[in-house]
Structures are given as structure tokens and as C-alpha cells.
Amino acid sequence: MSFVDQDDVIDIFEEMVRHIFREVRGVELPAKLRQMTWQEAMSKYGSDKPDLRFGMEFVELDDVLKLGTFAVFDNAAYIGGICAPGCASYTRKQLDQLTDFVKSQQVGAKGLVYIKIGEDGSIKSSVDKFYTPEQLQAVAQKMNANPGDLILILSGDNANKTRVQLCSLRLEMGRRLGLMDKDKFECLWIIDFPLFEWSDEEQRLMSTHHPFTMPNPDDIPLLDSDPARVRAKAYDFVCNGIEVGGGSLRIHDSKLQAKMFEVLGFTPERAEAQFGFLTGAFKYGAPPHAGLAFGLDRFVSIMAGLDSIRDCIAFPKNNSGRDVMLDAPSAIDDSQLNELKISLKA
């Protein structure tokens, strides 16, 4: 579907979503769904698809932990924590399990610091020898921790990477505490994505979505001076931590599209070779337009209360990426390879 602007997309999609929730689950969603900027989502939840069925928002702790007493924190680019309610009774074994979880290959953190707030208000921490009780009380105060709560802290030399690791820990605690109620639905829109992201592999800016995404009109002057700060007119629909749909406004001005290609490192010749079919269409007056791609299988899994979209996919793949129904991928006839002009070499 194509529309004129972002508000059109959001309004029409919300109307459809409210109807589906009402008819399928008997749930009445708010008349207007919440919108959250990408920056806020990453700062509070470390994810551009935050699960809002439970709290445990991130709290940055640089000002109360960078005191020149603990080198790990003093040298960190980011220190953040979450407060797990009622978990101060966690045993050493349970805390070791959490430490192993954050240090796993899937998460990649270097370690975990905890602070237990006893029911009597006493404090016990894995960094007791580096901080005084008063300093740890200041951390607990900033975290709004109550007696019986458990503070979990991660730090790292890359802020965004550490936030993503802390997101994994937050979701793990949400699972452990049974806070991911399948009959509770928290839907929102994520907006104001960055238009570009840096690629260490390519050593250049890349499009966060695709090179035809409209920049926020207020940020267009930054394309020349500071393109990394440009926001995109893009939007994702998120429900219970799952991205169900997403889209953007498209560029419809040839000069602006040429500037995008320039920022991305395309020469005019390369841009014409790869995207000439599109830039040529601009000569005929392409209108302002926007769109949204809808993940039907993901939505069905949410409606059905399933743990995985695999049960909603017609031809699901196994963990090795093989389609067991079609036995694909499999051998290809030479005639098919010749038709596609593909040569296989051992």
C-alpha cells in the first residue's frame, strides 16, 4: 500500500490493528498508540523493538560509579543498570547463572556486577571492596530500588553495544520473573530512526533501511555537515517486543536522491548504473508516497499466543536453514545452472 505521508500510514494501519485485536482477541487497544523515538528506545531498553509489558528501564550510572575506585567502571564508555524487583534473595548459584548468560557468545558482555538491597535496607554487592556502603546507597537511590530488589549492572567501551547486551539481560529477567504475559499487549510505533549507520566492515556510512528513505526535512542541511545525525522518516510497528510491520516515506526528488547517493559514497556513474531506472522515473514527476510492509506470520503468532513464528510459516526452515518439506537446498541440474549462467568450482 502507498500513502502520502507518515501520518496516513500510521492512522490506517492502527485502524486495521485495532479491528484485528478487537475481533480476534477481544482486546480494545488505545485510540492512539504510543510513539517512541529510536533514541529513547535505545536509551531506555537497548532495542528498537522494546517489550513494554514490564518495566526495568535502563538507568545510566556513570555519575555515581565513576569515582576513581574501580578501573572497570572508570574506563567504561557506558555504565547502565536494571532493577529486578524482589530478586535480592537470588543465591550465588543464580547470580553465577546470570553472569554466565551475559558472558555467553550470544550476549558478549565481559561480566556482571550486582547490588542486593536487603529487606532491612542493608546492601551487599560484588564490588563491595571498591565502594563504600554510602556510595552503593547512592546507586540504589538513583535506581529507585526498594528493599528486596536486585540491581544488575553492565559496562563496556561501546555504549550502543553495551545497551544491546543489557537488553538481553532485561529480557532474560522478564522471562525468569514471568512478566511476559501472552494475554497482555503493548503496541507502539518506533519513529525517528537514524538515516545512516556506520559499517566497520565497509568503513563508510550505510543506509539504516534503504537508500530511498526520506530524511527528516528538518535534518536535510545535516547531509552536508553531519550526516550521521540525520533522522529518517521511517517507522516500525512493535507489539510485545516483536516488529510486526515497518516502512518509510520515499524520496521523490531527484536532487535529494542524488545527495543521498553521494553521502553513501556512490559516484554518479555507479548510481546511474544501479538505480537509473528509479532516478529516470523522477523526471516524470513522482508524487510524495509512503508505504508499510506487514509481517503477517509474526502477527498470527501473536494472535495465537505462540512462542515462535515457525508454527505460522508455510515452509519453515530448520536450524540449519534447510526446508525439510522440499529438501532444499539440494543438487541443481547442469541445465539450470547453464540457464542462469552459473559455474560451480570445487
Side-chain angles (χ1 to χ4, degrees), residues 5-258:
D5 60 30
Q6 180 170 308
D7 290 338
D8 283 343
V9 179
I10 289 176
D11 289 344
I12 292 175
F13 191 77
E14 278 190 14
E15 184 176 348
M16 180 187 70
V17 167
R18 275 192 291 273
H19 175 79
I20 293 174
F21 270 97
R22 186 183 305 118
E23 296 298 318
V24 177
R25 294 301 302 259
V27 172
E28 197 66 40
L29 294 181
K32 191 65 179 175
L33 296 181
R34 179 179 179 179
Q35 294 186 14
M36 181 184 294
T37 66
W38 177 88
Q39 188 65 48
E40 181 184 357
M42 293 303 298
S43 175
K44 291 182 176 180
Y45 304 100
S47 171
D48 57 9
K49 46 182 182 296
D51 191 336
L52 302 187
R53 287 174 293 179
F54 61 100
M56 285 194 274
E57 292 183 3
F58 298 178
V59 177
E60 295 191 21
L61 300 170
D62 292 44
D63 58 335
V64 289
L65 286 174
K66 282 191 173 185
L67 303 178
T69 57
F70 185 41
V72 172
F73 285 163
D74 293 334
N75 298 324
Y78 174 85
I79 310 170
I82 59 173
C83 185
C87 293
S89 60
Y90 263 36
T91 64
R92 179 60 183 267
K93 180 179 179 180
Q94 288 173 302
L95 291 169
D96 286 345
Q97 289 173 344
L98 286 178
T99 301
D100 291 340
F101 171 78
V102 300
K103 293 173 70 174
S104 66
Q105 186 175 0
Q106 291 81 359
V107 180
K110 293 182 178 179
L112 173 68
V113 169
Y114 69 83
I115 301 175
K116 291 182 176 183
I117 315 298
E119 293 292 350
D120 59 356
S122 62
I123 285 188
K124 179 176 178 57
S125 169
S126 55
V127 288
D128 281 339
K129 65 180 180 180
F130 300 104
Y131 295 95
T132 67
E134 292 75 20
Q135 290 169 336
L136 294 176
Q137 284 285 1
V139 177
Q141 184 175 3
K142 184 161 187 180
M143 295 290 305
N144 290 320
N146 297 311
D149 289 349
L150 173 67
I151 298 170
L152 300 170
I153 302 170
L154 295 183
S155 64
D157 54 11
N158 182 296
N160 279 337
K161 182 178 179 180
T162 307
R163 288 189 183 100
V164 171
Q165 294 166 348
L166 192 56
C167 172
S168 296
L169 178 59
R170 173 181 178 267
L171 294 176
E172 175 65 15
M173 293 307 298
R175 283 187 285 268
R176 286 177 174 236
L177 296 174
L179 301 177
M180 297 178 172
D181 186 352
K182 293 181 182 179
D183 293 319
K184 182 179 180 180
F185 303 98
E186 291 292 342
C187 303
L188 75 157
W189 292 95
I190 302 297
I191 60 172
D192 287 347
F193 285 85
L195 188 64
F196 305 106
E197 58 187 6
W198 180 258
S199 168
D200 289 330
E201 182 179 349
E202 299 256 353
Q203 286 295 298
R204 67 179 180 90
L205 290 173
M206 307 280 283
S207 296
T208 300
H209 286 82
H210 54 69
F212 317 113
T213 303
M214 175 72 76
N216 187 305
D218 295 337
D219 295 347
I220 288 178
L222 294 174
L223 287 171
D224 287 314
S225 59
D226 194 358
R229 289 176 51 202
V230 178
R231 295 166 296 168
K233 296 294 286 184
Y235 36 84
D236 280 356
F237 177 75
V238 176
C239 180
N240 292 357
I242 300 171
E243 179 192 331
V244 181
S248 66
L249 271 71
R250 315 292 199 257
I251 295 173
H252 61 277
D253 177 80
S254 58
K255 291 183 179 179
L256 182 56
Q257 186 64 71

